[in-house]
Amino acid sequence: MTQLSVNINKVATIRNARGGNMPNVVKFALDCERLGAQGITVHPRPDERHIRYADVHDLKPLLTQEFNIEGNPVSKFIELVNTIKPAQVTLVPDAEDAITSNAGWNTIKHEEFLRKVVSDFKNHGIRVSLFVDPNPEMIRKAAEIGADRVELYTEAYATNYSAGPEKAIQPYVEAAKVARECGLGLNAGHDLSLENLTYFHKQIPWVDEVSIGHALISDALYLGIEETIHQYLECLK
């Protein structure tokens, strides 16, 4: 079964808007695990506008499911990840001022840099996933670099889904096949939702993990977190 990793950044955004510790990010993460999520994702950015580096340290000893830390591998991030040693690190080429991730790696252009970073994390026993667009060339190079998985950047799929699911999914199916041929594990994330997740999973049932934050937290405002996680897990059956 494809695993559901809940990205809790938006919970931290709400907390930070008022100060204090409401909602409690750690408690929320533990509740997500208790309710069936198979993983927790955080994406600490240098300005700590949502998840703080301290949150990552607080979460690590308490989580019982897979911990995935996303981010641009600047020196501070590398140090954090190698200290925490999560199950997985997902490398994302986002600028410091980016509102959210908006592109995958050019693994050809950044091959030398990524080889060093991937090797360093793997030497610390951490599984490494590279955030990529559904581009076969970039996926093949990710495998050559030594990544364990790729995470397909699914914004284009989500944007085009309502106009035609078959056309929207096609480049992702091809990309997923290339990843499988290269021996890479496969993750997916960005703008996946209750509207489009079931179709995505039916077309690419071998995806290992989906990481979902914004849509899931938004749905929880209406449905409650227990029912929301239940519905997302149903999409992945």
Side-chain angles (χ1 to χ4, degrees):
M1 180 179 175
T2 301
Q3 293 190 331
L4 171 66
S5 186
V6 177
N7 185 319
I8 60 172
N9 277 19
K10 284 298 184 291
V11 180
T13 300
I14 297 171
R15 176 199 62 189
N16 296 352
R18 256 317 258 281
N21 198 31
M22 183 186 293
N24 185 307
V25 169
V26 173
K27 182 179 183 303
F28 188 90
L30 295 176
D31 285 340
C32 288
E33 289 189 332
R34 176 177 56 82
L35 295 170
Q38 296 101 346
I40 298 296
T41 292
V42 295
H43 189 143
R45 287 185 163 88
D47 62 7
E48 298 190 321
R49 64 179 179 268
H50 33 63
I51 286 292
R52 299 167 181 157
Y53 276 49
D55 294 325
V56 181
H57 286 277
D58 291 342
L59 286 161
K60 178 58 167 67
L62 299 176
L63 296 178
T64 59
Q65 302 297 316
E66 281 209 352
F67 195 17
N68 173 45
I69 304 179
E70 297 180 344
N72 194 326
V74 297
S75 56
K76 184 179 179 182
F77 179 86
I78 292 172
E79 181 180 356
L80 173 72
V81 173
N82 283 338
T83 299
I84 296 297
K85 293 181 174 57
Q88 177 175 271
V89 59
T90 301
L91 306 185
V92 184
D94 54 349
E96 288 191 14
D97 59 350
I99 295 175
T100 186
S101 305
N102 55 20
W105 283 101
N106 183 327
T107 54
I108 297 172
K109 179 180 179 180
H110 299 287
E111 177 181 0
E112 184 177 353
F113 170 70
L114 288 171
R115 279 188 186 275
K116 294 177 181 177
V117 175
V118 169
S119 177
D120 180 39
F121 285 137
K122 291 180 73 170
N123 286 337
H124 282 81
I126 304 165
R127 185 173 70 233
V128 183
S129 178
L130 297 182
F131 193 67
V132 295
D133 296 302
N135 181 318
E137 284 187 284
M138 299 306 162
I139 293 169
R140 291 189 182 99
K141 183 58 70 173
E144 291 178 22
I145 285 168
D148 301 294
R149 294 185 182 182
V150 289
E151 178 175 329
L152 296 179
Y153 172 42
T154 50
E155 181 186 22
Y157 164 72
T159 299
N160 297 319
Y161 176 83
S162 59
E166 297 86 357
K167 184 177 180 180
I169 196 66
Q170 189 56 39
Y172 290 90
V173 172
E174 295 306 314
K177 289 177 180 177
V178 171
R180 185 167 58 180
E181 290 166 4
C182 291
L184 290 166
L186 185 66
N187 298 340
H190 205 91
D191 290 345
L192 294 175
S193 67
L194 289 175
E195 177 186 9
N196 59 46
L197 181 58
T198 298
Y199 185 80
F200 184 91
H201 185 248
K202 283 183 177 179
Q203 304 308 308
I204 313 174
W206 64 91
V207 65
D208 293 296
E209 172 191 290
V210 292
S211 175
I212 305 178
H214 184 78
L216 189 150
I217 301 304
S218 298
D219 289 331
L221 295 176
Y222 293 93
L223 303 173
I225 189 59
E226 182 171 5
E227 177 61 21
T228 297
I229 289 178
H230 171 75
Q231 289 196 24
Y232 274 90
L233 291 173
E234 285 293 313
C235 292
L236 298 173
K237 283 188 174 180

